[in-house]
Amino acid sequence: MRKKKWTNKSNHFTLDGNVVRLKKNLTIHNTAEFLNDIELLFRKSGESDLSVDLSGLDNIDSAGALAIHRLPENAGRYNISLKIENAGKDIENKLSLFSPVKQKTEQSHTKEGILYLLGDRAGHFLAEYVASFFYLVSDILFWSVRDLFNRKQRRKGEFVNQAISIGVNALPIVMAMAFIIGLVLALQSSSQLRNFGANVYIVDLTVIAMMAEMGPLITAIMVAGRSGSSIAAEIATMKVTSEIDALRTMGLNPVRFVVIPKIYGSLVTLPFLTILASVAGIFGGAVAANLYLDITPEIFFNRMPEALYQKDILTGIIKSIAFAFIIVITGAFFGFRVKEGAEGVGRSTTSAVVAAITLVIIADLILGLIFY
Amino acid sequence: MNKEKIIEVKGLKVSFGEKEVLKNVTFSIEEGDVTVILGGSGSGKSTIMKHMLGLYPVTPNTISIFGQDIVTIDEEQELKFYLKLGVFYQNGALLNSLTVGDNVALPLEQHTNLPADAIEDLVRTKLNLVNLEDAYYLYPSQLSGGMLKRAALARAIIMDPPLLFCDEPGAGLDPVSLANLDELILKLRDQLGMTILMVTHEVTSILRVADKVLFVDNGVIAFEGTLTEARQSEIESLKDFFTVGTGGKKVTH
């Protein structure tokens, strides 16, 4: 069947016999339309030979030049032999300046078996993450112990700054969250306890849960989100902007200079923050007990000494110390690992928070089992 | 022959807090010229450029580009306006999350209907023009300083803008790379007719490419003229730039 002849009109060319006469301008703003029109012409022209006359073309840019270079190949797909002719000097110059790249760089692909890839990934993970994590932990432990007895080389005022930043500034939000959790915990338990007539045990439940479990956990999660992210972002930014390199070339150990004050600040403040959070949670429990189980604050706080054991308080404090280490070390680890610019900083920060919260929960499980 | 004025700046005043950085800056830039803004560190060269790009607020009737007051450009015209500008930032300002190829392709993908293979051809051609075709699949973090600059230039010219702004294009480049960059800038002027505004300290580069020199001193344009006029100027601080910049000794005042 003979193909239907080209009858459509184009703003970019006219068809005169088997000569396509390009007109006006061919720039980045109309090249896409031109390519569509000429594709339609190739499909419908029914000619086996065409020539493209550029004499009517006033101006082209790089997109236009490349579109002209593509024409013979595009025409070839429809078995049309295409000639390009009559380019003015200016058009000729631009066609020569913007000619397509002949030898294109290929993206390198490695084709390896799945077992090889798994082994490679595992080896990479062990070498890159596990080994460097333990290296950083040992570095931090060494310097945090050594600097305890070496006041001279400690940065003056930095411990106080970090204690305020990590601990004091987090106090309102941590206490507010703990109060709400304590209230919700008591509220959810109250209906069950009422069914068994064990209303008064709401005190034991709230006090033990807050002191040994929820207080340290909520505090650690809040601090990981707040300060862990800030530690990772600070160190990652310092690395991206070569501040870490500058410290090294000044003979300063970046871990000692940047991380150790944060370790001290968090180790000192997190136990206090945890105790205050636990107290706020217990207050929340007392409010719920008063509202839903008719246990007055007097009864609640009189019962408290019977429910509260030294061991629970100690468990909470020990957990908070472990969590403080985990949060700072994780933040520092991901901060130092940053490789690229702004996006890398964001990625490190996210990884630091996710890893810190995960490790805190795992550590909570382990310590919970130990002190059970 | 009178050339068309592409940029006109009239009485630009800028203060940061109490510090008056630009007192009364007035100049114009003509079509097809490579104009260099020269001046000491902190003299306000980059500030002038950032105001022209609309990155800092400007009072009406102060800066017009392509005959249009940049303050009164409405949202509809804004895109068309920005498509006529290419900006070559000092640090490259490439997006780290994208490969070089994707960085350069970004304006084409966002602002044209070109098919993907045409975009790829165009990107490779522009990268080839700056001798960086090999870096198509690399990320900015894998490039050297000079390569970053060339990739940034490829992105700046991907839409064939009639007006190109270059902020310290030669900073940190070795002399050979700098000479190659200058050659490319001249090619853009001569073969594509681009109007180019450069902020730079590199005297060797200025001597190679500048048609016109604007010298910023004490918050005003202390000199405006051709490169030849600039070299013959009696303004001591401008003389010092050319003398010290070409390896001579500073004039003692």
Side-chain angles (χ1 to χ4, degrees):
Chain A
M1 194 180 80
R2 191 175 160 78
K3 281 181 188 170
K4 201 179 161 189
K5 282 276 183 183
W6 159 265
T7 49
N8 300 44
K9 287 187 174 173
S10 169
N11 291 326
H12 309 292
F13 57 82
T14 53
L15 183 63
D16 188 1
N18 67 344
V19 179
V20 182
R21 296 187 198 284
L22 266 54
K23 54 187 184 183
K24 298 178 191 166
N25 301 324
L26 192 54
T27 66
I28 204 155
H29 305 294
N30 60 16
T31 298
E33 198 183 270
F34 165 75
L35 286 171
N36 280 336
D37 288 357
I38 204 129
E39 184 90 13
L40 202 63
L41 167 71
F42 292 154
R43 206 182 307 147
K44 292 191 170 175
S45 72
E47 303 284 350
S48 58
D49 285 296
L50 279 177
S51 64
V52 175
D53 180 7
L54 303 183
S55 59
L57 205 54
D58 297 330
N59 183 34
I60 57 168
D61 64 7
S62 56
L66 284 166
I68 291 169
H69 281 299
R70 291 167 67 91
L71 290 180
E73 191 191 325
N74 289 4
R77 285 205 290 267
Y78 298 94
N79 298 319
I80 298 170
S81 152
L82 191 103
K83 253 188 334 193
I84 294 172
E85 52 196 17
N86 298 333
K89 199 181 171 200
D90 182 45
I91 303 288
E92 193 72 62
N93 282 343
K94 284 184 182 165
L95 284 172
S96 133
L97 182 66
F98 298 118
S99 52
V101 178
K102 296 271 186 319
Q103 286 187 318
K104 293 180 181 175
T105 317
E106 297 289 330
Q107 193 166 18
S108 58
H109 292 287
T110 48
K111 284 183 182 174
E112 303 290 356
I114 192 152
L115 284 175
Y116 175 88
L117 285 174
L118 277 174
D120 189 50
R121 290 271 164 88
H124 182 261
F125 178 79
L126 282 172
E128 284 287 307
Y129 282 84
V130 181
S132 50
F133 183 77
F134 282 108
Y135 180 79
L136 181 71
V137 170
S138 62
D139 215 14
I140 288 174
L141 285 174
F142 172 77
W143 288 112
S144 53
V145 173
R146 190 175 154 172
D147 275 5
L148 272 180
F149 309 101
N150 187 2
R151 293 184 61 157
K152 198 181 159 192
Q153 286 189 310
R154 260 188 257 156
R155 287 158 67 198
K156 281 192 186 108
E158 194 53 21
F159 162 69
V160 177
N161 285 343
Q162 294 300 331
I164 291 172
S165 161
I166 296 170
V168 180
N169 291 345
L171 194 59
I173 187 71
V174 168
M175 284 187 73
M177 285 297 117
F179 179 83
I180 293 167
I181 299 273
L183 197 140
V184 171
L185 190 73
L187 187 69
Q188 295 296 336
S189 316
S190 59
S191 64
Q192 299 301 319
L193 291 171
R194 197 189 295 121
N195 288 342
F196 294 103
N199 293 16
V200 78
Y201 287 107
I202 192 73
V203 182
D204 301 51
L205 188 145
T206 309
V207 168
I208 295 168
M210 287 312 299
M211 274 297 178
E213 190 61 44
M214 297 306 283
L217 202 58
I218 294 160
T219 309
I221 289 172
M222 293 301 294
V223 172
R226 201 182 155 276
S227 305
S229 59
S230 128
I231 291 167
E234 181 190 331
I235 295 173
T237 309
M238 287 178 80
K239 194 165 177 212
V240 167
T241 55
S242 303
E243 287 173 55
I244 296 290
D245 294 342
L247 288 175
R248 284 211 175 95
T249 51
M250 284 189 282
L252 299 167
N253 183 321
V255 169
R256 187 184 189 185
F257 192 82
V258 181
V259 185
I260 300 304
K262 296 183 196 306
I263 285 279
Y264 289 160
S266 62
L267 280 179
V268 171
T269 54
L270 224 66
F272 287 110
L273 211 53
T274 300
I275 290 169
L276 290 170
S278 303
V279 170
I282 291 168
F283 267 103
V287 170
N290 189 27
L291 291 175
Y292 294 96
L293 294 172
D294 297 327
I295 292 174
T296 61
E298 196 185 354
I299 299 173
F300 192 98
F301 291 112
N302 279 340
R303 167 87 188 157
M304 248 180 71
E306 290 174 45
L308 190 62
Y309 293 100
Q310 261 185 359
K311 192 188 129 198
D312 293 326
I313 301 172
L314 203 64
T315 304
I317 291 172
I318 291 172
K319 278 184 177 179
S320 70
I321 291 170
F323 296 163
F325 256 116
I326 289 171
I327 292 165
V328 178
I329 288 171
T330 316
F333 175 70
F334 283 98
F336 280 120
R337 282 189 57 80
V338 72
K339 279 188 180 144
E340 290 136 32
E343 205 211 8
V345 175
R347 222 173 7 227
S348 293
T349 310
T350 311
S351 305
V353 174
V354 173
I357 292 175
T358 311
L359 290 175
V360 158
I361 292 170
I362 293 170
D364 184 57
L365 170 71
I366 295 167
L367 291 169
L369 289 171
I370 292 171
F371 293 109
Y372 183 69
Chain B
M1 193 179 76
N2 272 347
K3 291 187 199 167
E4 192 187 338
K5 284 181 180 168
I6 297 284
I7 300 177
E8 283 187 277
V9 177
K10 289 178 196 158
L12 177 66
K13 291 176 188 169
V14 178
S15 299
F16 293 128
E18 291 190 354
K19 194 185 175 201
E20 202 175 17
V21 180
L22 300 174
K23 290 169 190 164
N24 187 2
V25 169
T26 300
F27 64 88
S28 62
I29 287 170
E30 290 169 348
E31 188 183 11
D33 278 352
V34 175
T35 305
V36 170
I37 302 184
L38 182 65
S41 299
S43 61
K45 308 182 297 295
S46 294
T47 308
I48 295 175
M49 200 167 100
K50 282 176 182 163
H51 278 86
M52 284 192 275
L53 290 169
L55 299 175
Y56 289 160
V58 184
T59 48
N61 301 317
T62 313
I63 299 175
S64 70
I65 298 182
F66 298 113
Q68 168 117 45
D69 183 352
I70 64 166
V71 178
T72 58
I73 295 174
D74 58 33
E75 272 184 37
E76 218 171 276
Q77 291 169 315
E78 194 174 292
L79 176 64
K80 281 185 185 167
F81 172 75
Y82 275 113
L83 288 181
K84 288 190 209 168
L85 312 181
V87 187
F88 176 9
Y89 291 96
Q90 186 179 356
N91 58 1
L94 297 174
L95 304 178
N96 278 308
S97 54
L98 302 180
T99 61
V100 169
D102 289 341
N103 259 291
V104 180
L106 195 61
L108 292 171
E109 286 166 351
Q110 296 295 316
H111 302 306
T112 71
N113 295 320
L114 287 170
D117 51 351
I119 289 180
E120 189 187 325
D121 268 0
L122 200 47
V123 170
R124 286 186 187 274
T125 305
K126 290 290 165 72
L127 285 173
N128 199 36
L129 196 67
V130 297
N131 288 326
L132 209 62
E133 208 274 323
D134 291 348
Y136 189 87
Y137 292 109
L138 298 182
Y139 283 88
S141 57
Q142 296 172 293
L143 304 184
S144 69
M147 288 165 88
L148 263 179
K149 291 212 175 244
R150 282 184 279 146
L153 181 58
R155 188 178 65 177
I157 61 170
I158 191 66
M159 300 291 287
D160 286 348
L163 178 58
L164 178 67
F165 290 87
C166 305
D167 188 10
E168 304 275 6
L173 289 185
D174 64 85
V176 177
S177 304
L178 185 59
N180 289 338
L181 187 70
D182 291 340
E183 200 180 309
L184 191 60
I185 283 171
L186 289 176
K187 205 187 258 186
L188 294 174
R189 181 196 65 181
D190 298 338
Q191 300 198 17
L192 296 179
M194 276 188 196
T195 306
I196 298 166
L197 178 68
M198 276 170 72
V199 168
T200 185
H201 280 123
E202 306 286 339
V203 174
T204 47
S205 181
I206 295 168
L207 294 176
R208 276 195 288 259
V209 301
D211 295 310
K212 185 177 171 184
V213 174
L214 298 170
F215 181 60
V216 188
D217 198 18
N218 284 323
V220 295
I221 300 291
F223 172 84
E224 182 176 1
T226 62
L227 177 63
T228 318
E229 288 164 353
R231 295 195 74 178
Q232 291 163 354
S233 166
E234 291 303 313
I235 300 169
E236 294 296 343
S237 43
L238 181 56
K239 263 174 146 176
D240 285 347
F241 257 99
F242 285 107
T243 315
V244 180
T246 48
K249 279 193 175 175
K250 187 181 179 298
V251 180
T252 313
H253 305 298

